[in-house]
Amino acid sequence: MRRATGARVHAEGVTLTTREGPVYTGVDFTARPGTLTVFQADSGGGRSALLLTLSGRMRPTGGTLHVDGYTLPKQARKVRRISALGLMDDVNALDERLRVSEHLSEARLLRLRPSARSVSDAAMSAAGLADLDRRTMVKELSMLERRRLGVALALVCEPRLLVVDNVDSGLNDEHQAQMWRSLKDLADEGLTVIATCADSRELGAVADRDTQGPLQIRQGEDGRDAEGDKDNAAGEQDQVGTGGAETEGTERVIGIDELLAPEGSGTENTGGGAHREDS
């Protein structure tokens, strides 16, 4: 699989506030190519919404955000072309009625450019699933295999930025450590990887000078968590990356239904269980 240089991500004061309250506030960080950056928060702490924002799929309401030199949200379409999502609840969940091979075929078909079948082999190997029988139904996979498959599907589109949500969810300590190792290996090959978790204890086994975090996600100036599950509110949207004209997010309070990155028509691969988006 071709390994392009990762994308540089730079955020200053990036904030998302809805009528229900703050989802995340004051996000400041820089992620260099070839690094793993980890954000930590409990459920409802803005993890999913932040990753959707960083990958050009949700509009922030304040701050400055650049990915690979592109300004978000104005150039969200270009950012979506170089980024991919691992599994994210209610955004690109796996279809349990399909086989692994069918998910891989769909991901290849929805790529933004043609690819050989070998891209699936390379993606599965990079995600730690080289020996998995692709005739297996998704419903028969373990939680670790599902999370690895989500990463493999994202890698099929050969992204420069990979975002992976809830790395630790549903996994025991040993499997968490294996997932962190896989993500760190991808970063070591040049990819920019940004991930979220609630429990970061197993991250320490792989952390080095090219690992950043865990960084705490804040929901207010005093750092206290806002009430309500903002991640679920973000995830319940059933289309990512469609809508009307884009606007700069300049410190305004909006409803959760207005948050989706508004770009374009046609087909785009969100990574990890890709689906067709129509205008």
Side-chain angles (χ1 to χ4, degrees):
M1 173 178 289
R2 178 164 49 90
R3 286 279 186 262
T5 302
R8 183 177 185 272
V9 181
H10 181 67
E12 294 183 8
V14 176
T15 295
L16 177 58
T17 302
T18 75
R19 296 188 185 99
E20 290 73 35
V23 180
Y24 57 78
T25 60
V27 176
D28 296 287
F29 78 103
T30 298
R32 296 177 289 103
T35 60
L36 169 63
T37 300
V38 179
F39 286 91
Q40 183 173 10
D42 292 333
S43 177
R47 296 176 307 204
S48 301
L50 177 59
L51 292 186
L52 289 171
T53 300
L54 297 177
S55 59
R57 292 161 172 85
M58 183 170 283
R59 290 183 287 130
T61 54
T64 302
L65 178 58
H66 299 281
V67 177
D68 201 39
Y70 300 123
T71 301
L72 288 170
K74 185 176 181 180
Q75 296 176 294
R77 186 186 203 101
K78 292 181 179 179
V79 173
R80 290 198 293 272
R81 288 179 176 271
I82 63 170
S83 64
L85 309 179
L87 292 185
M88 189 173 290
D89 292 343
D90 300 320
V91 174
N92 60 355
L94 297 172
D95 188 335
E96 296 199 349
R97 299 167 297 179
L98 297 182
R99 300 181 186 277
V100 171
S101 60
E102 292 171 317
H103 270 293
L104 289 168
S105 295
E106 179 188 35
R108 285 184 56 245
L109 287 171
L110 295 180
R111 274 174 47 112
L112 297 176
R113 55 190 181 277
S115 67
R117 290 183 180 274
S118 60
V119 74
S120 296
D121 298 333
M124 290 287 281
S125 178
L129 293 176
D131 297 328
L132 180 67
D133 185 347
R134 299 183 193 179
R135 296 170 296 181
T136 305
M137 302 289 290
V138 166
K139 65 182 179 182
E140 298 171 357
L141 299 177
S142 68
M143 182 58 71
L144 177 60
E145 289 170 334
R146 291 178 184 224
R147 295 206 173 278
R148 288 188 181 279
L149 178 57
V151 171
L153 294 173
L155 293 176
V156 166
C157 65
E158 298 176 312
R160 298 177 60 195
L161 169 63
L162 172 67
V163 299
V164 182
D165 199 20
N166 296 337
V167 171
D168 58 312
S169 180
L171 302 179
N172 61 32
D173 290 350
E174 179 183 357
H175 289 169
Q176 287 180 38
Q178 291 178 27
M179 274 299 298
W180 287 124
R181 179 75 267 167
S182 294
L183 295 180
K184 186 62 175 65
D185 288 345
L186 289 170
D188 288 344
E189 292 180 10
L191 195 60
T192 302
V193 181
I194 301 177
T196 68
C197 66
D199 181 357
S200 63
R201 287 176 297 176
E202 299 303 321
L203 174 63
V206 302
D208 61 14
R209 57 183 295 180
D210 291 323
T211 305
Q212 184 174 200
L215 308 176
Q216 297 298 319
I217 300 176
R218 296 177 296 170
Q219 291 183 311
E221 292 183 359
D222 58 2
R224 291 179 299 178
D225 287 345
E227 294 182 359
D229 191 345
K230 302 301 189 305
D231 280 344
N232 287 344
E236 286 171 359
Q237 309 302 320
D238 59 2
Q239 293 184 16
V240 179
T242 62
E246 291 181 351
T247 59
E248 295 284 354
T250 54
E251 298 295 347
R252 65 190 186 95
V253 178
I254 61 178
I256 197 73
D257 56 336
E258 301 177 63
L259 295 176
L260 296 178
E263 195 126 29
S265 60
T267 300
E268 290 195 22
N269 189 346
T270 62
H275 59 275
R276 183 174 299 277
E277 297 172 347
D278 298 315
S279 59

